Amino acid sequence: MLTKKRLALTAILLVGLSSALMLQNWSDNQSSHYDLIRALDAGRTTIDYGPYPTKDKAYYKGHWYSARAPGLAIYSLPFYEALKVLDAPAVARASHALRGEDEMIDFVGEWGTVLPALVLLLLVWRVAENFEPGYGAAAAVIVGLGTMLLPFSTLLFSHVFAAMLGFAAFAIMLRERAGPPRPLLLGAAGLLMGYAVSSEYPLAFVALVLGGYLLSRRDALTPRLVAMRAGAYVAGGLIGIVPLLLYNHAAFHSWTHLAYSNIPQQQKGFFGISAPSLTVLATLLFDSRGLFTLCPVLAMGAVGTVLLYRRGHRAEALTIAGVCVCYLGYNSGYYLPFGGGSMGPRFLITTLPFLGFPIALALRRAPGATIALAGASIAVAVVATITHPLVGYETETVVWGRLLGQGFFQPTIASAFGAGRGWAAIWPFLLAVASAIVLAAWSLPRLQLSARALGAGALALLAWGLFAALAPTVLGIDHRGLESIVKAGDHTALSLTLHHGSRYPLKTLAPIATVAGLLALSAMRLLRNEPDPPRGRRDAGARTGSHSVLTS
């Protein structure tokens, strides 16, 4: 058992290492966070002085401010100051990987995104183990390598950090629920949720859903316990948002003023959010940057959530559903659903650990489909991460296959030492990814990969591959996604030529990912398959099982 745990832990650490090896290019969102960190380090809140021109800023009373919530910057400030003491800016300027001080963003990202992503995966592992022992590490590795969490763990965005805080609050509440009522634990969960909101405002939806989860504990519904438990959660949350309030007061001389309110697009509806749209929802899930198009294994997370509910863990299953519904609802009403340049709908990253840990249940119940779709999802996420994760348009996802064919990748640590941006530089990342997958597979119990399970996996892959390659164009889903970008103010979105797009943007990547899924299925069949018992023993087991069901 100890060996299995070591394999599991090492696999997850290798996922974190793979993220740490990447050095991604500059973007507006990243530079906005970085500018705010530098401003706070200089004792101010304005970003009038750069260092990079960013569009993610707000103008208020003669000054420019970062449009980002301050939580990530406040958390990253001590690490940034430590980097300055170590003269990291000089190292960044002398590097061959990127231009100038861009690499300082990546240095800060090791603390601001890579470490939180690693903590998040460890939490997914432990939570999944509570419900399906032996399968948690595999679920965590699948979430870490086969979803948007992979590219965004290499970028200085706030999504991974905020998602980690929100899911950590859920993990603490899960622990409290398993024992006697402990208001101190709920206070800690509230503190994490409050700071999550200080880091990314939509985490307020998670806070509300977890409040409902807290109140669903039947053995603690007496007035006294409800007051103590809910009061501790709320008190912790209020403490958690104190940094946001202090920042607002220092920047705007108001406790409640947000920089978002000074951005013109955010002034429509409620901070840019209007009524949910089914059309936009379809693009979020199924266009060429859609959640299920690029991360099909998350469909097995939905299956696992149903299994969780059927096993009697209804409060947990409903919590997962509540988080997903809230995020899909608000995101489908947002004026810019995909948030600009992004591998997929980045505002949904918070849902990934909630929808990801039930993959452990699906892996045991439906191993064929889960392994096959996990292989395809990992292939897509890896290729997007190493080529160009911040695509701005649905049709621009074609560049992933093009850049892969050209052997031109994002820089890595090896690039900083002169290895360039080709295969010579990307192999350390790929080695870490492959090692994590192998160790996660070996940490699993043996699986019953029957001919039926293999057929289900192959059929799921075929269905996904055909859909990803053809449906977004044939059904007009990509076109509707581009129209939403036009409505947000980019009137060039429909120009395929201008953005190097394609009418069937995943026609190259989908077959590659399908082959990856088949290889994963074949490898697991060869290495981790549990042989069928002899027919006599199987029949005896069936009779025993029938007897136990009748007498239970």
Side-chain angles (χ1 to χ4, degrees):
M1 184 62 68
L2 185 60
T3 301
K4 292 284 187 180
K5 288 184 177 179
R6 287 178 177 175
L7 285 173
L9 178 59
T10 305
I12 295 171
L13 291 176
L14 283 168
V15 177
L17 175 63
S18 67
S19 298
L21 292 173
M22 294 299 301
L23 301 175
Q24 298 284 1
N25 280 323
W26 170 90
S27 69
D28 285 316
N29 193 300
Q30 295 183 91
S31 65
S32 186
H33 284 294
Y34 183 50
D35 284 356
L36 180 54
I37 294 170
R38 285 174 59 108
L40 294 176
D41 178 61
R44 52 184 168 80
T45 56
T46 61
I47 61 168
D48 298 323
Y49 308 106
Y52 305 119
T54 176
K55 296 177 183 177
D56 285 341
K57 57 186 179 179
Y59 192 73
Y60 181 74
K61 293 186 177 180
H63 294 284
W64 289 103
Y65 297 86
S66 170
R68 306 294 105 205
L72 178 61
I74 295 171
Y75 159 77
S76 301
L77 181 59
F79 187 75
Y80 173 76
E81 292 174 339
L83 287 174
K84 287 177 60 181
V85 171
L86 297 174
D87 203 23
V91 175
R93 284 191 294 268
S95 173
H96 299 286
L98 291 169
R99 58 188 183 283
E101 280 191 286
D102 275 7
E103 282 183 49
M104 275 297 291
I105 294 179
D106 293 286
F107 290 167
V108 175
E110 301 294 331
W111 176 263
T113 51
V114 173
L115 181 59
L118 177 59
V119 173
L120 179 57
L121 294 182
L122 291 171
L123 289 169
V124 170
W125 172 35
R126 299 316 304 165
V127 170
E129 285 289 311
N130 287 333
F131 300 101
E132 199 66 82
Y135 293 81
V141 169
I142 290 170
V143 172
L145 295 178
T147 70
M148 288 184 292
L149 194 67
L150 178 61
F152 279 94
S153 66
T154 69
L155 298 159
L156 192 61
F157 284 63
S158 61
H159 304 307
V160 173
F161 178 63
M164 181 272 292
L165 293 173
F167 192 71
F170 171 70
I172 290 175
M173 297 175 96
L174 190 65
R175 181 179 179 183
E176 192 269 347
R177 192 181 182 90
R182 286 174 284 182
L184 285 178
L185 282 180
L186 296 177
L191 179 65
L192 291 173
M193 279 310 324
Y195 199 75
V197 174
S198 297
S199 307
E200 195 166 291
Y201 308 128
L203 265 291
F205 291 118
V206 179
L208 291 174
V209 174
L210 291 188
Y213 180 60
L214 180 153
L215 295 174
S216 68
R217 179 168 175 163
R218 294 181 180 179
D219 64 345
L221 290 181
T222 64
R224 176 177 170 273
L225 284 177
V226 168
M228 288 180 59
R229 297 173 75 249
Y233 179 65
V234 172
L238 292 176
I239 296 172
I241 65 170
V242 166
L244 172 62
L245 300 178
L246 293 175
Y247 169 80
N248 289 341
H249 190 266
F252 312 116
H253 304 290
S254 167
W255 300 107
T256 58
H257 184 88
L258 302 177
Y260 267 178
S261 62
N262 299 112
I263 300 175
Q265 295 93 330
Q266 302 283 352
Q267 294 171 357
K268 299 177 182 178
F270 181 74
F271 290 99
I273 303 171
S274 55
S277 165
L278 289 176
T279 299
V280 175
L281 178 62
T283 64
L284 288 172
L285 298 179
F286 300 118
D287 77 3
S288 291
R289 288 195 292 167
L291 189 68
F292 288 146
T293 303
L294 298 181
C295 312
V297 73
L298 290 176
M300 302 310 296
V303 172
T305 303
V306 174
L307 295 174
L308 197 65
Y309 185 89
R310 290 180 176 177
R311 288 188 183 182
H313 302 288
R314 296 183 177 181
E316 289 75 20
L318 292 175
T319 297
I320 297 168
V323 170
C324 293
V325 168
C326 285
Y327 265 79
L328 287 170
Y330 111 77
N331 201 175
S332 66
Y334 191 55
Y335 83 97
L336 190 60
F338 284 82
S342 174
M343 172 192 168
R346 60 185 176 90
F347 300 122
L348 299 181
I349 287 177
T350 299
T351 67
L352 297 181
F354 289 94
L355 197 57
F357 83 83
I359 289 174
L361 284 75
L363 185 56
R364 183 177 181 184
R365 179 65 69 86
T370 305
I371 292 168
L373 294 178
S377 298
I378 290 172
V380 171
V382 165
V383 171
T385 300
I386 65 177
T387 53
H388 182 45
L390 296 181
V391 296
Y393 309 91
E394 280 64 21
T395 52
E396 193 184 358
T397 53
V398 70
V399 303
W400 296 334
R402 291 175 180 173
L403 292 174
L404 180 66
Q406 296 167 9
F408 185 77
F409 308 111
Q410 293 292 317
T412 67
I413 295 295
S415 304
F417 293 93
R421 295 181 62 170
W423 290 105
I426 205 66
W427 72 263
F429 171 84
L430 296 178
L431 179 61
V433 168
S435 300
I437 294 170
V438 171
L439 292 183
W442 277 110
S443 74
L444 281 169
R446 287 186 175 271
L447 300 166
Q448 283 284 350
L449 284 170
S450 61
R452 183 177 180 180
L454 292 174
L459 184 61
L461 271 178
L462 178 62
W464 170 79
L466 290 173
F467 180 91
L470 303 174
T473 296
V474 173
L475 299 179
I477 306 175
D478 276 352
H479 184 75
R480 287 192 288 271
L482 295 172
E483 286 179 334
S484 69
I485 299 176
V486 171
K487 290 180 181 178
D490 183 354
H491 300 291
T492 70
L494 293 172
S495 173
L496 294 180
T497 303
L498 184 61
H499 301 298
H500 310 287
S502 168
R503 294 188 66 246
Y504 296 93
L506 297 177
K507 62 184 179 182
T508 300
L509 186 57
I512 293 173
T514 300
V515 171
L518 290 173
L519 290 175
L521 201 58
S522 301
M524 290 297 288
R525 170 70 175 181
L526 291 173
L527 300 176
R528 302 301 295 162
N529 182 50
E530 178 70 32
D532 290 334
R535 183 174 181 82
R537 187 184 305 171
R538 187 164 63 242
D539 292 342
R543 288 193 297 270
T544 302
S546 300
H547 176 72
S548 63
V549 170
L550 291 172
T551 57
S552 61

